[in-house]
């Protein structure tokens, strides 16, 4: 036994012993109040991946569990520390009892780290060992970061949607159209695209009621106009009517700024210029004309018609501009007849208007007819000729159908009068002359 002890190498000269002495030195230094050197995590990780055994401090630097309970000194060392002296004698007696409890911690002896792995979804970092097992080194934050970013984007989208709604509401409110936007608030604040908003807006009952003329335009083969064009036309209509002093009832707007009369104008493709022409025609040629013209239009188109009714009639958007002018011209011709002490019917007045007779020509022509009609009628009665009537004179004076025959009748009466009295006839060409038809 003594020989074996002498033959064994001195324990303090082995590498393990050097490691033990170094560790003992560290421990003694710590007990003496000297701080332990700082552990570099990168150095510890390099040692771990190379398969070296880590100290408890290095394991803690990497977020790993410390060495198994009860172990002292470098990892894997057992038993008392320091340099053993003397030779143990005797034989241990007794049998260990009880069952070990707890879970061993630390890196099992003989297992080597071959790589590290990062989970692309969570960002967790694992050590991968040569036996295929893995151990979590660092907990990742990708899931938490993704949830935070998703929440941030949703909040930003909500704020942008609210901002868009506030802007639209403000713009529509300027035209009294905020009621169109309110039902679509949820759609707008959810971040709907402009195209989606436009489609849903035009489907809403409030929108269809406000811009009703577009549906009528489409039925008539006209294209729908944009909301901006629609509102601009309404403003133009209103300005024209206000400038001409029309009653407010013609241009006062109701709910959401709508005006039924304006819808009719737009549905019938009436421009602001055409509307102004209609108003000018009604006021300048009818309402502001002489009373005979007003009397004629009432005779032709109703005894109970008032000035307001006449204006409303001329502004009726279902009637074309030419139709309105035709009726006004007929009334002016009828008024010219009244001024000359004559009368004419609506059909004859419209016929004369269709032939191109103007108000001035009608005044001159009826004046000429009135100057010779009475005498011509008397001569026809005296000589037993066909009656010489206003209608006969109108044919010659205004150049209507039957003009030649009417002229012959007048000339015959003139000749008979001259032959009887040997003087100037009361129905001379001078009496019935006019620029348009030439001399009688």
């Amino acid at each position: 036994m003594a020989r074996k002890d002498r033959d064994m190498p001195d324990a303090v000269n082995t590498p393990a012993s050097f490691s033990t002495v170094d560790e003992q030195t560290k421990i003694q230094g710590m007990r003496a109040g000297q701080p332990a050197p700082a552990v570099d995590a990168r150095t510890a990780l390099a040692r771990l991946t190379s398969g070296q055994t880590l100290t408890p401090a290095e394991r803690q630097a990497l977020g790993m569990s410390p060495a198994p309970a009860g172990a002292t000194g470098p990892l894997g060392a057992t038993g008392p520390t320091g340099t053993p002296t003397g030779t143990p004698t005797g034989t241990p007696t007794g049998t260990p009892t009880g069952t070990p409890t707890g879970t061993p911690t630390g890196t099992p002896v003989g297992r080597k780290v071959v790589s590290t792995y990062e989970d692309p979804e969570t960002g967790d970092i694992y050590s991968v060992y040569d036996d295929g097992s893995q151990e979590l080194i660092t907990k990742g934050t990708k899931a938490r970061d993704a949830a935070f970013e998703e929440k941030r984007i949703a909040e930003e989208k909500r704020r942008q949607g609210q901002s868009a709604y506030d802007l639209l509401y403000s713009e529509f409110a300027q035209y009294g159209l905020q009621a169109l936007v309110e039902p679509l608030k949820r759609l707008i604040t959810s971040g709907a695209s402009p195209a989606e908003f436009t489609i849903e807006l035009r489907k809403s009952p409030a929108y269809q009621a406000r811009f009703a003329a577009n549906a009528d335009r489409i039925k008539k083969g006209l294209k729908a106009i944009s909301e901006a064009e629609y509102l601009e036309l309404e403003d133009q209509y209103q300005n024209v009517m206000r400038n001409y002093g029309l009653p407010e009832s013609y241009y006062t707007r109701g709910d959401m700024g709508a005006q039924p009369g304006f819808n009719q104008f737009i549905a019938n493709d009436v421009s602001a210029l055409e509307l102004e022409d209609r108003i000018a025609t009604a006021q300048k040629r009818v309402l502001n004309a002489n009373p005979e013209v007003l009397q004629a239009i009432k005779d032709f188109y109703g005894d109970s018609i008032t000035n307001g009714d006449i204006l409303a009639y001329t502004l009726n958007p279902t009637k074309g501009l030419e139709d309105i002018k035709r009726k006004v011209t007929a009334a002016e011709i009828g008024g010219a007849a009244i001024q000359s002490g004559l009368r004419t019917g609506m059909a004859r007045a419209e016929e004369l208007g269709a032939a191109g007779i103007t108000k001035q020509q009608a005044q001159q022509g009826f004046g000429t007819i009135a100057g010779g009609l009475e005498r011509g009628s008397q001569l026809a009665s005296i000589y037993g000729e066909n009656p010489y009537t206003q209608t006969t004179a109108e044919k010659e004076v205004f150049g209507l159908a039957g003009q030649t025959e009417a002229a012959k009748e007048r000339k015959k009466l003139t000749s008979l009068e001259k032959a009887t009295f040997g003087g100037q006839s009361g129905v001379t060409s001078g009496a019935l002359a006019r620029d348009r038809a030439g001399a009688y």
Side-chain angles (χ1 to χ4, degrees):
M1 186 71 173
R3 181 178 299 277
K4 290 181 179 180
D5 293 339
R6 287 194 301 267
D7 294 339
M8 292 178 62
D10 192 348
V12 297
N13 294 326
T14 63
S17 296
F18 285 132
S19 175
T20 303
V21 171
D22 291 343
E23 192 65 29
Q24 289 297 324
T25 301
K26 293 179 183 178
I27 295 172
Q28 291 174 3
M30 293 174 64
R31 289 175 179 175
Q34 299 175 356
V39 177
D40 187 345
R42 289 178 296 180
T43 303
L45 183 60
R47 285 169 52 78
L48 177 64
T49 56
S50 65
Q52 299 182 45
T53 302
L54 305 181
T55 67
E58 290 172 331
R59 291 179 62 83
Q60 283 187 333
L62 294 177
M64 301 172 63
S65 58
T72 61
L75 184 63
T78 59
T81 60
T83 305
T85 59
T87 302
T89 60
T91 303
T93 61
T95 303
T97 60
T99 303
T101 60
T103 303
T105 59
T107 305
V109 177
R111 193 170 65 159
K112 181 179 180 181
V113 176
V114 294
S115 64
T116 56
Y117 165 73
E118 180 178 354
D119 189 320
E121 294 184 0
T122 64
D124 295 345
I125 299 177
Y126 296 87
S127 291
V128 180
Y129 294 96
D130 55 3
D131 62 358
S133 61
Q134 297 180 357
E135 182 177 6
L136 177 65
I137 300 175
T138 305
K139 186 70 175 176
T141 62
K142 284 189 175 181
R144 183 181 62 191
D145 294 345
F148 177 82
E149 181 66 11
E150 183 178 356
K151 184 176 180 181
R152 185 194 67 78
I153 292 174
E155 177 61 20
E156 180 65 20
K157 186 176 181 181
R158 185 198 67 78
R159 281 199 294 265
Q160 290 177 351
Q162 183 64 47
S163 177
Y165 173 78
D166 293 341
L167 179 61
L168 282 171
Y169 186 92
S170 176
E171 290 293 325
F172 276 63
Q174 295 181 23
Y175 300 96
L177 301 178
Q178 59 268 30
L180 298 182
V181 183
E182 290 171 347
L184 302 175
K185 180 176 182 179
R186 181 176 296 179
L187 175 67
I188 300 170
T189 55
S190 68
S193 67
E196 291 177 291
F197 167 72
T198 301
I199 292 172
E200 293 303 318
L201 174 65
R202 290 175 176 171
K203 286 181 180 178
S204 66
Y207 176 92
Q208 293 175 2
R210 178 60 183 85
F211 299 99
N214 269 335
D216 293 332
R217 288 176 63 89
I218 292 172
K219 290 178 183 177
K220 295 177 180 181
L222 302 171
K223 72 178 184 67
I225 61 177
S226 69
E227 295 81 2
E229 291 176 297
Y230 203 109
L231 297 175
E232 179 63 22
L233 268 176
E234 290 179 330
D235 288 344
Q236 291 175 2
Y237 294 154
Q238 189 174 47
N239 290 336
V240 168
M241 291 182 173
R242 185 185 289 116
N243 291 340
Y244 276 88
L246 268 67
E248 291 186 2
S249 59
Y250 283 93
Y251 54 80
T252 299
R253 302 187 186 189
D255 293 341
M256 294 187 292
Q259 219 287 344
F262 293 171
N263 281 340
Q264 291 180 335
F265 291 145
I266 294 173
N268 289 281
D269 207 25
V270 177
S271 69
L273 183 61
E274 182 177 350
L275 174 63
E276 185 172 8
D277 195 359
R278 292 183 182 198
I279 295 175
T281 298
Q283 286 199 333
K284 295 178 182 178
R285 296 179 58 186
V286 180
L287 298 184
N288 297 336
N290 52 49
E292 291 83 8
V293 175
L294 293 176
Q295 181 61 49
I297 200 168
K298 291 180 180 180
D299 289 344
F300 294 165
Y301 307 111
D303 293 334
S304 61
I305 193 169
T306 64
N307 289 356
D309 294 330
I310 294 170
L311 183 59
Y313 179 82
T314 59
L315 295 179
N316 188 338
T318 62
K319 303 295 181 180
L321 183 59
E322 292 303 318
D323 184 53
I324 292 174
K325 286 185 175 180
R326 176 177 59 82
K327 287 179 170 58
V328 172
T329 298
E332 291 174 338
I333 292 172
I338 295 174
Q339 285 177 323
S340 299
L342 304 174
R343 287 283 180 176
T344 188
M346 179 184 70
R348 172 62 92 184
E350 290 184 351
E351 180 183 1
L352 293 174
I357 303 301
T358 65
K359 176 181 178 181
Q360 292 72 24
Q361 290 172 334
Q363 289 173 337
Q364 182 180 359
F366 281 118
T368 300
I369 293 171
L373 179 61
E374 183 177 0
R375 183 57 178 167
S377 178
Q378 291 174 351
L379 292 175
S381 177
I382 292 172
Y383 296 112
E385 298 294 328
N386 292 328
Y388 186 79
T389 65
Q390 178 180 327
T391 302
T392 305
E394 286 175 354
K395 291 178 181 179
E396 183 179 4
V397 170
F398 294 121
L400 304 179
Q403 178 185 11
T404 302
E405 289 75 12
K408 288 179 179 179
E409 286 186 35
R410 180 194 53 81
K411 290 176 180 179
K412 183 177 181 181
L413 292 174
T414 300
S415 298
L416 289 173
E417 185 178 24
K418 286 180 180 180
T420 302
F421 299 101
Q424 187 73 21
S425 172
V427 286
T428 62
S429 59
L432 295 177
R434 77 181 188 90
D435 294 338
R436 178 184 176 89
Y440 256 20

